């Protein structure tokens, strides 16, 4: 981790890549600590951290897209609820 923070490396890599590199190193170290201690629980935490690294990279790259997609899903849900509510109200008034 110290090597990643050296000025020579920081000039080449941006802050996002530095964070992902540090998370990968932490995941590897946690997994190896679990292997050496023969504790599968610690190794499992290392694997979970390693699986979170690509997820974090995806979120960093597509945060705006996910926000717009979520907003669209909420809007579609509200429209469906409103139309269903209106149809129920019509049916109650007709009866």
């Amino acid at each position: 981790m110290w090597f990643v923070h050296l000025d020579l490396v920081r000039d080449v890599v941006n802050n996002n890549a530095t964070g992902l590199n540090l998370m990968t190193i932490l995941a590897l170290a946690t997994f190896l600590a679990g292997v050496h201690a023969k504790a599968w629980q610690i190794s499992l935490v290392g694997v979970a951290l390693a699986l979170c690294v690509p997820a974090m990279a995806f979120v960093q790259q597509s945060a705006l897209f996910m926000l717009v997609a979520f907003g669209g899903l909420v809007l579609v849900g509200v429209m469906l609820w409103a139309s269903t509510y209106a149809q129920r109200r019509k049916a109650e008034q007709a009866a």
Side-chain angles (χ1 to χ4, degrees):
M1 290 184 172
W2 171 75
F3 183 71
V4 172
H5 284 291
L6 287 176
D7 289 334
L8 182 66
V9 177
R10 295 291 300 244
D11 291 339
V12 177
V13 181
N14 63 8
N15 288 335
N16 290 336
T18 301
L20 292 174
N21 285 338
L22 291 174
M23 187 71 170
T24 304
I25 292 169
L26 179 65
L28 178 63
T30 305
F31 177 76
L32 290 177
V35 169
H36 287 291
K38 296 181 182 169
W40 63 270
Q41 295 94 343
I42 297 174
S43 295
L44 188 64
V45 171
V47 169
L49 285 171
L51 292 175
C52 288
V53 172
M56 286 178 15
F58 176 73
V59 168
Q60 285 179 354
Q61 291 294 323
S62 60
L64 180 62
F65 171 73
M66 289 191 314
L67 181 67
V68 170
F70 180 72
L73 287 174
V74 168
L75 183 63
V76 168
V78 167
M79 289 170 36
L80 286 173
W81 177 81
S83 66
T84 304
Y85 180 74
Q87 287 177 357
R88 285 183 187 169
R89 194 166 189 183
K90 257 187 197 179
E92 287 176 2
Q93 288 178 355

